[in-house]
Amino acid sequence: MFTKKRPDGTYIKNIHFFTQLMPYLLPKRVEACIYFEKEIDITETIKYVRKRKNNAEGIKVTVFYLILYGALRSIALRPKLNRFVSGCRFYQRNRISFNFIAKRDMSDDGEEINVTMSFSPLLSLDMFCKKIDDYILSLKEGTSTGAEKTNDLVTHLPRFIIRFLIWGLKYLDYHNGLPKAVIDSLPFFSTIFFTNVGSVGIDAPLHHNFEIGNCGIFIAIGKLRKVNCLKKDGTVETRDKMKLTFTYDDRITDGIYCARAIDMLRDFVENPEKLETPFELNEEQLKELNLAANELKLT
């Protein structure tokens, strides 16, 4: 506590002087947000998903999984996006972690749960999809997540105690006093927070970010839309399209860097065959990504 060391990241020393001032000029994540919208053409993506449905290996691939996996590769190739600001200091996160909502069952009253998972960037697409499926299956069979247990405990407390606990959490986080177990159990300490509102027929909103924790990127995934597009020869064809919106903490690194990563993500999703190519990172890339050794394991 009261040091520059944190269990979820490594302090970055060499930061441009103006960037160092950003957390003081924009102390709140909400006021530092930049909002992006990107329409992606998932016509070929849907064809790919249907083709994989008949795969003898039985590994489920969905458009949502492809977006997640495309984001994983994009973060690995654009490692500055895996930074965060805490206590007005900059850190390189030591894992790539995503948070999203899953249901225990698909009924209207099915319980929603926050899923927070970290992934090695070296995972193949099949290994990535299987890891998510196995974890969600364990949740459906009744295993509670750390976040669920914490939330259940806290919400039964009196209001003044909850307010004090939230204040205490923010205070300890600012001064690097939160233990690893607490950070790992909360969804607000992820690389990216996803919300798949398209799964319930809603288009992607420009979503807020959270002031608590250190997650700097929020991605909302919209519904599938049929769009009539004009081809070069003057004929019209119907394409499958989807809108993604991005809420991005501009203090992490500049918006141009982020925008190029978004273009990279779009390319991965629109051309999913690229995601089947074995992914390797050289020594320099691994050093810049700065992941903990156990976060590179293929499990």
Side-chain angles (χ1 to χ4, degrees), residues 45-101:
T45 316
I46 291 174
K47 290 179 183 177
Y48 177 83
V49 168
R50 286 172 180 162
K51 182 180 73 174
R52 286 298 306 264
K53 208 170 188 178
N54 301 320
N55 194 299
E57 296 172 3
I59 295 174
K60 183 176 73 175
V61 178
T62 67
V63 174
F64 180 57
Y65 285 6
L66 290 171
I67 292 172
L68 292 179
Y69 190 63
L72 176 65
R73 285 206 173 181
S74 299
I75 291 289
L77 295 170
R78 308 290 284 174
K80 289 182 182 179
L81 294 180
N82 205 26
R83 293 179 176 180
F84 63 88
V85 176
S86 185
C88 296
R89 299 187 182 115
F90 290 82
Y91 293 84
Q92 183 71 35
R93 201 181 304 274
N94 57 24
R95 65 176 186 170
I96 302 175
S97 59
F98 297 155
N99 181 271
F100 56 92
I101 302 296

Side-chain angles (χ1 to χ4, degrees), residues 261-290:
I262 291 171
D263 285 336
M264 185 182 294
L265 170 59
R266 181 183 66 177
D267 183 53
F268 281 139
V269 177
E270 291 183 344
N271 303 283
E273 288 82 5
K274 291 184 178 181
L275 297 174
E276 292 185 343
T277 306
F279 192 58
E280 294 182 1
L281 295 169
N282 60 39
E283 230 176 272
E284 187 178 337
Q285 289 172 314
L286 286 171
K287 184 179 179 181
E288 192 175 2
L289 200 52
N290 199 43

Side-chain angles (χ1 to χ4, degrees), residues 239-257:
R239 306 287 294 181
D240 294 309
K241 298 204 174 186
M242 174 185 284
K243 184 170 76 173
L244 303 184
T245 60
F246 303 81
T247 304
Y248 169 67
D249 185 348
D250 190 40
R251 300 173 301 176
I252 297 173
T253 188
D254 64 85
I256 295 174
Y257 187 94

Side-chain angles (χ1 to χ4, degrees), residues 11 17 21 73 110 117 166 172 188 258:
Y11 173 65
F17 70 90
L21 286 175
R73 285 206 173 181
M117 300 181 68
I166 297 300
L172 290 174
F188 312 109
C258 178

